[in-house]
Amino acid sequence: MAAKPKLHYFRGRGRMESVRWLLAAAGVEFEEEFLETREQYEKLQKDGRLLFGQVPLVEIDGMELTQTRAILSYLAAKYNLYGKDLKERVRIDMYTDGTLDLMMMVAVGAFKPPAEKEETIASAVKSAKTRYFPVFEKILKDHGEDFLVGNKFSWADIQLLEAILLVEELDASVLSDFPLLKAFKTRISNIPTIKKFLQPGSQRKPPPDSHYVAVVREILQF
Amino acid sequence: MELWSLLWGGGGCSLLGPPSSAGRSVPAFKQLAQPRSWPAGAEQRRSQDFLGNQETAIMAGKPTLHYFDGRGRMEAIRWLLAAAGVEFEEKYIATPEDLDKLRNDGRLMFGQVPMVEIDGMELVQTRAILNYIASKHNLYGKDLKERALIDMYIEGMADLNEMIIIFPIHPPGEKEAKLALIKEKTTNRYFPAFEKVLKSHGQDYLVGNRLSRADIHLVELIYNAEELLPGVTASFPLLKALKTRISNLPNVKKFLQPGSQRKPPMNPKSLEQAKKIFRLP
């Protein structure tokens, strides 16, 4: 039996959370090794396991993969969540790249000084409401299907749900003008693997708090 | 930094100086006085207010690139298409109104460029576009594992390239520090990683003993880094050899010659132009 994928990261969302979502949605069990000290991080580097000296790192299928998008693309393809052909795949790429951009806006906010942080959050919420969510609402409206691409559950749906929940944490009313996204959110949340992931006790991580920020700053020394 | 990601997210930059050399066959962006009407169902011909060269491009099946007359985020796409031997057209965004029009016509999914018309689609998001082109032209490895390696390598390249792309936009007071950072990352993180990959297998290409997009993107990156940091490749013999090897591939060689669609680096004048287009102070 194949070994479970193993994730190396801080005990928090950051850039690894999308990977956790994808694995969980695909019903794939995974292990996690949490970086808690500078020494652990330096050891990974010295052992040559981080191609560019950075995490996330995922051990999977005999590879030590780094670079979030490389990891996500591999998993999406491996677990048949990447569309049926090249044209579907490019649409999934467009959508996930957009949502990943949005989520990164939020993620970096946690590391900014208080005044800038508020500004970043506001900007992310605005981007969600004016740039990203209208696009996905329209996509769902135009084809009237349950999933974003090819009438089939894909990485794009997982990532959009993740983004929706992330932004809702910042502004609970963000979906008020997007009825189809509201329905989408309910529908995708009820997929058994995702439902399980959304329950307490899963490997989903909470929003970053000051402790998390402190740990990351200490380990990465910035 | 948000300002600059706005700049780059919303578009690239415009080099509105005269064309770099005579004989460049890039069509200028123009608008017809009156829109044409197209037969129903001519989905691909939505750009009905462009001149004939656009129709020709569509009919010939050439991709059309929508961006500023400059490198920015589109340059990697130009490199890849050129290396794959794919002829392409370009429609330059020359004014804020040009960008507005693309947005108002609903042609930019997230309101941003690059946008590439290809195979009946209007693709946005640089990575999505590059992934599509690479897959279509067999430059993405032979299987999932090779693809994962390629992706890992090119994502690292994209991180460094991002710093280089944005460098010209930093205010003068910040430039020295940013350049030092780029130098540090290039010489301590990225170039060593790729040198090590080439050393580990001793092959002519980064992945699978075969040309892939990883080689193209890396050589582009090497050229970009050398422009900013002359001699930076000196202590990386395998990277130097890769650069020479890839530069000598007929398609790449042609692209590296004057008169190709390769764009020059940004200069203070083109930066000013770009700020105008974005209505930035």
Side-chain angles (χ1 to χ4, degrees), chain A:
Chain A
M1 184 156 151
K4 292 182 194 174
K6 192 169 190 186
L7 279 47
H8 296 258
Y9 201 65
F10 315 105
R11 193 188 297 267
R13 288 182 180 175
R15 292 179 185 278
M16 190 61 101
E17 194 71 352
S18 292
V19 177
R20 297 183 185 107
W21 268 89
L22 188 48
L23 284 168
V28 178
E29 284 182 30
F30 57 94
E31 287 171 8
E32 299 194 75
E33 204 164 286
F34 297 115
L35 285 178
E36 262 137 9
T37 67
R38 173 85 189 161
E39 288 67 41
Q40 277 175 281
Y41 176 59
E42 282 175 350
K43 183 173 195 323
L44 281 176
Q45 286 179 309
K46 280 196 197 109
D47 291 348
R49 303 180 68 187
L50 306 178
L51 180 64
F52 302 113
Q54 299 166 313
V55 287
L57 163 67
V58 174
E59 299 176 62
I60 183 166
D61 298 336
M63 297 181 292
E64 306 225 284
L65 283 186
T66 58
Q67 293 292 336
T68 314
R69 285 180 172 88
I71 296 163
L72 290 168
S73 293
Y74 180 77
L75 295 174
K78 185 181 167 155
Y79 297 113
N80 292 311
L81 292 164
Y82 218 163
K84 72 177 195 301
D85 57 27
L86 200 48
K87 286 209 170 183
E88 284 194 355
R89 222 185 78 180
V90 76
R91 285 171 58 202
I92 292 171
D93 274 344
M94 281 195 285
Y95 304 164
T96 54
D97 228 35
T99 47
L100 210 55
D101 280 353
L102 174 60
M103 291 195 281
M104 278 302 113
M105 272 188 235
V106 176
V108 301
F111 291 87
K112 300 202 167 177
E116 267 190 70
K117 187 192 293 194
E118 247 182 75
E119 203 185 303
T120 305
I121 301 294
S123 174
V125 172
K126 183 174 177 202
S127 278
K129 282 186 181 169
T130 58
R131 167 167 283 176
Y132 295 103
F133 288 178
V135 170
F136 296 116
E137 181 81 4
K138 182 173 194 295
I139 288 167
L140 291 171
K141 184 171 185 186
D142 286 349
H143 61 46
E145 293 164 5
D146 281 354
F147 306 107
L148 284 170
V149 179
N151 206 15
K152 194 174 106 127
F153 183 57
S154 79
W155 173 30
D157 303 300
I158 300 165
Q159 191 122 322
L160 179 56
L161 176 62
E162 184 192 353
I164 286 171
L165 295 179
L166 190 67
V167 181
E168 273 188 333
E169 279 172 358
L170 306 172
D171 176 350
S173 72
V174 76
L175 286 190
S176 53
D177 295 330
F178 306 109
L180 295 178
L181 287 184
K182 271 200 214 155
F184 174 87
K185 175 192 157 188
T186 306
R187 197 162 57 240
I188 305 301
S189 299
N190 281 322
I191 292 174
T193 48
I194 295 185
K195 191 169 189 168
K196 194 169 156 200
F197 186 63
L198 289 171
Q199 275 156 8
S202 81
Q203 283 161 296
R204 190 182 180 210
K205 299 295 174 281
D209 57 14
S210 53
H211 171 73
Y212 172 75
V213 171
V215 168
V216 176
R217 279 189 183 280
E218 150 109 25
I219 293 176
L220 296 183
Q221 292 186 345
F222 73 98

Side-chain angles (χ1 to χ4, degrees), chain B residues 11-280:
Chain B
C13 82
S14 175
L15 282 169
L16 288 180
S20 57
S21 67
R24 214 170 71 173
S25 60
V26 176
F29 179 87
K30 285 182 195 162
Q31 263 185 298
L32 288 178
Q34 284 167 2
R36 264 175 227 195
S37 57
W38 290 98
E43 283 292 328
Q44 285 170 246
R45 299 181 187 183
R46 273 152 58 197
S47 25
Q48 49 196 358
D49 50 352
F50 291 177
L51 279 184
N53 48 35
Q54 179 67 3
E55 301 165 45
T56 315
I58 290 169
M59 282 155 64
K62 286 186 200 179
T64 301
L65 278 47
H66 294 261
Y67 204 63
F68 304 95
D69 185 2
R71 288 185 180 177
R73 292 185 187 288
M74 189 62 96
E75 194 71 353
I77 293 168
R78 297 183 184 106
W79 267 86
L80 191 56
L81 285 169
V86 178
E87 283 182 32
F88 56 94
E89 300 284 337
E90 299 195 72
K91 283 253 96 74
Y92 297 125
I93 295 164
T95 66
E97 290 74 33
D98 292 342
L99 186 56
D100 289 342
K101 183 168 196 338
L102 281 173
R103 284 173 173 153
N104 296 336
D105 289 350
R107 303 183 68 192
L108 306 179
M109 179 175 290
F110 300 115
Q112 300 167 319
V113 285
M115 187 269 274
V116 173
E117 298 177 63
I118 184 169
D119 298 337
M121 301 177 289
E122 300 203 311
L123 298 184
V124 297
Q125 298 291 138
T126 314
R127 283 179 174 88
I129 296 165
L130 288 168
N131 289 358
Y132 182 80
I133 295 166
S135 296
K136 188 178 171 192
H137 296 282
N138 292 310
L139 290 167
Y140 218 159
K142 74 177 198 297
D143 58 27
L144 206 48
K145 282 202 170 185
E146 283 194 357
R147 220 190 98 152
L149 281 184
I150 290 170
D151 276 341
M152 190 167 46
Y153 300 162
I154 66 184
E155 282 298 311
M157 294 174 205
D159 283 349
L160 179 58
N161 208 35
E162 182 84 5
M163 287 184 231
I164 293 174
I165 289 175
I166 291 177
F167 175 72
I169 306 176
H170 290 295
E174 286 178 31
K175 276 209 158 95
E176 210 181 301
K178 292 295 177 187
L179 189 60
L181 183 65
I182 292 172
K183 183 174 186 184
E184 199 263 319
K185 295 291 178 203
T186 304
T187 50
N188 295 341
R189 170 175 280 175
Y190 293 104
F191 278 15
F194 299 121
E195 184 81 3
K196 189 174 168 192
V197 168
L198 289 170
K199 188 167 188 187
S200 72
H201 55 52
Q203 292 165 359
D204 281 357
Y205 304 101
L206 281 166
V207 179
N209 207 13
R210 194 172 90 123
L211 179 71
S212 78
R213 62 180 293 196
D215 307 295
I216 309 299
H217 297 322
L218 180 53
V219 169
E220 181 195 357
L221 181 60
I222 291 170
Y223 275 105
N224 289 348
E226 283 178 334
E227 272 173 5
L228 266 189
L229 304 159
V232 71
T233 323
S235 40
F236 301 100
L238 297 178
L239 291 186
K240 274 210 301 220
L242 179 76
K243 179 190 165 193
T244 305
R245 213 158 41 239
I246 301 300
S247 301
N248 282 324
L249 295 174
N251 289 332
V252 178
K253 193 168 189 168
K254 194 167 153 202
F255 186 65
L256 288 168
Q257 276 157 7
S260 81
Q261 283 162 293
R262 188 182 181 212
K263 303 294 175 274
M266 203 190 290
N267 56 45
K269 181 182 170 191
S270 52
L271 178 60
E272 279 316 300
Q273 217 72 36
K275 286 183 177 176
K276 279 194 188 121
I277 289 173
F278 275 107
R279 302 181 176 107
L280 291 171

